[in-house]
């Protein structure tokens, strides 16, 4: 992502990251997010597991270099980070993200490095995300990058990253930003809302709420395209969410009792 430099954009990026982090914090044991000034580090990046004494860096907003073991003692009374130290504290190795020059970028899920901190002068942002569950990781990744992309010099553009997993010989491009399609029954939609809308009218209403929808080949259904930011819409039974979007443009007061 290449954000337009400036205080307003910086504040927006920080707010965006903070909002996403607050959501991720609910499951911080299984996922974490880090944002970096890409111009201060150099790829390719590696995700490794190293003994804590071999991990040396200056933590975010600090001035002194410490190792992984010292970091645990340093932050044990910190009211924000202290509650997450137990996730890796007693492990023989700690997860760490390194750049091509072996500079520490992040010690997930605890803290980033001061070296790659985002500032008012940041022009290119590198986002790292780690997780213990692939599904959660994909959801966090899609939501995070789409929110951040709003602040790019060219809005809503991102540069994908190729991940090579040497342990299993696979590779993938992230984020996937895959759109999903589902067919939803017209009578089901109308029945839940008390409306009597045609497939064309339903599609028009859904488009007002940023959904792409079109009448299906079968006139009994509409095909709804679910964006990658809506991981909560999984099945037609989740149409309760769609019903909210469908009914609001009509006006609740127009719906029959």
């Amino acid at each position: 992502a290449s954000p337009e430099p400036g205080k307003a954009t910086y504040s927006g990026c920080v707010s965006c990251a903070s909002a996403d982090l607050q959501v991720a914090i609910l499951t911080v044991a299984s996922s974490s997010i880090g944002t970096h000034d890409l111009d201060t580090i150099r790829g390719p990046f590696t995700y490794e597991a190293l003994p804590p004494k071999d991990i040396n860096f200056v933590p975010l907003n600090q001035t002194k270099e410490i190792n992984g073991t010292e970091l645990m003692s340093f932050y044990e009374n910190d009211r924000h980070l202290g509650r997450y130290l137990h996730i890796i504290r007693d492990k023989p190795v700690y997860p760490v993200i390194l750049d091509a020059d072996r500079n520490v970028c992040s010690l997930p899920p605890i803290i980033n490095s001061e070296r790659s901190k985002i500032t008012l002068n940041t022009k290119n942002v590198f986002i790292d995300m780690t997780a213990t569950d692939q599904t959660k990781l994909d959801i966090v990744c899609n939501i995070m990058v789409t929110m951040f992309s709003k602040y790019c010099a060219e809005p809503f553009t991102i540069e994908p990253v190729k991940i090579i997993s040497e342990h299993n010989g696979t590779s993938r491009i992230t984020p996937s930003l895959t759109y999903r399609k589902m067919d939803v029954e017209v009578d089901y939609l109308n029945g839940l809302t008390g409306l009597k809308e045609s497939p064309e009218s339903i599609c028009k209403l859904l488009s007002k709420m940023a959904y792409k929808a079109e009448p299906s080949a079968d006139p009994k259904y509409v095909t709804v395209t679910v964006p990658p930011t809506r991981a909560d819409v999984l099945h037609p039974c989740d149409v309760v969410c769609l019903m909210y979007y469908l009914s609001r443009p009509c006006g609740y007061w127009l719906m029959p009792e």
Side-chain angles (χ1 to χ4, degrees), residues 169-231:
T170 63
S171 64
R172 63 187 186 278
I173 302 295
T174 63
S176 61
L177 297 179
T178 302
Y179 284 74
R180 296 174 288 112
K181 290 188 176 182
M182 68 166 64
D183 290 327
V184 185
E185 194 172 2
V186 172
D187 288 346
Y188 184 47
L189 295 176
N190 282 326
L192 286 179
T193 59
L195 300 173
K196 296 180 180 180
E197 300 294 328
S198 66
E200 292 76 14
S201 178
I202 289 174
C203 293
K204 185 176 180 180
L205 290 171
L206 287 173
S207 70
K208 294 181 179 180
M209 305 310 298
Y211 280 93
K212 181 180 179 182
E214 57 186 7
S216 175
D218 185 337
K220 294 182 180 179
Y221 294 85
V222 293
T223 300
V224 180
T225 300
V226 183
T229 52
R230 291 305 303 266

Side-chain angles (χ1 to χ4, degrees), residues 36-48 96-106 113 115-116 126:
H36 311 269
D37 185 333
L38 183 58
D39 295 325
T40 64
I41 48 182
R42 189 171 66 91
F45 303 93
T46 57
Y47 184 39
E48 305 180 21
V96 60
I97 297 176
L98 304 167
D99 78 349
D101 299 317
R102 306 296 290 176
N103 294 310
V104 173
C105 301
S106 174
S113 169
R115 167 185 285 273
S116 58
F126 175 70

Side-chain angles (χ1 to χ4, degrees), residues 4 14 18 25 47 58 65 92 102-103 144 166 170 185 188 205 216 220 235 241 245 249:
E4 190 76 37
V14 171
S18 297
I25 268 177
Y47 184 39
V58 179
E65 181 178 287
R102 306 296 290 176
N103 294 310
M144 186 71 176
E166 295 181 351
T170 63
E185 194 172 2
Y188 184 47
L205 290 171
S216 175
K220 294 182 180 179
H235 309 286
C241 297
Y245 296 134

Side-chain angles (χ1 to χ4, degrees), residues 135 138-140 142-143 180 226-235 238:
T135 300
D138 290 340
I139 291 172
V140 171
N142 285 340
I143 293 175
R180 296 174 288 112
V226 183
T229 52
R230 291 305 303 266
D232 56 321
V233 179
L234 300 174
H235 309 286
D238 294 321

